[in-house]
Amino acid sequence: MKRKILLRYPAEMAEEPVFATVLLETGIPANILYSSIGARGGEILIGVDASPEEVERMMALFRRRGVEAVEVRKAIRVDREKCFDCGACLSLCPTQALRFSPDCSLEVEEEKCVCCEACVPACPVRAITVRSFE
């Protein structure tokens, strides 16, 4: 099961190879979904496909090295009252997490979503929102 982990780096760790070190130590591959790191610190959102125990171990290693590690569950919410299934959001989704069902209504495939939020401003009636849970 794929899980999304947000790593928040303090400024003093921006140039340390913590990410690479933890990946090498755990042997767990991670996909970088989003990153923003600079002189003042930053954050990296990663996707990990590993057992819950392995993911917890990985998060503990990040924390021990001074990096905040939080599991993030973001879900696209489609307001069915507003959505008229126009498809304006489909072409902007880089992972094709949004698609039409056989009955031509909008569907969200959460597993493919990388939380980029490109679909949100594309919706002409603002029927799409992204909610996050930490």
Side-chain angles (χ1 to χ4, degrees):
M1 177 177 155
K2 290 185 183 176
R3 294 169 70 180
K4 295 175 179 111
I5 314 263
L6 180 63
L7 305 171
R8 290 191 181 114
Y9 285 76
E12 59 273 7
M13 302 198 69
E15 294 188 26
E16 294 185 32
V18 175
F19 184 73
T21 303
V22 170
L23 291 186
L24 288 170
E25 191 172 326
T26 62
I28 300 170
N31 185 26
I32 297 174
L33 305 174
Y34 163 83
S35 72
S36 175
I37 302 215
R40 291 186 259 173
E43 58 188 25
I44 301 175
L45 179 66
I46 61 173
V48 179
D49 194 2
S51 72
E53 296 80 22
E54 290 174 311
V55 173
E56 290 302 321
R57 180 174 165 252
M58 175 186 262
M59 289 173 50
L61 286 172
F62 277 115
R63 289 180 188 126
R64 258 187 269 156
R65 287 174 171 77
V67 175
E68 181 183 352
V70 180
E71 184 170 1
V72 175
R73 295 184 199 120
K74 281 198 172 189
I76 296 173
R77 180 180 293 188
V78 178
D79 184 337
R80 298 307 314 167
E81 297 291 317
K82 291 181 182 178
C83 181
F84 58 95
D85 303 307
C86 70
C89 55
L90 295 178
S91 65
L92 295 175
C93 183
T95 62
Q96 299 177 340
L98 298 170
R99 64 177 182 211
F100 283 128
S101 67
D103 70 353
C104 295
S105 62
L106 184 67
E107 280 186 339
V108 179
E109 196 171 338
E110 293 288 340
E111 185 89 0
K112 289 183 177 181
C113 180
V114 294
C115 308
C116 71
E117 300 184 27
C119 57
V120 175
C123 181
V125 294
R126 303 292 179 243
I128 300 174
T129 55
V130 177
R131 62 177 192 250
S132 64
F133 316 91
E134 289 190 10

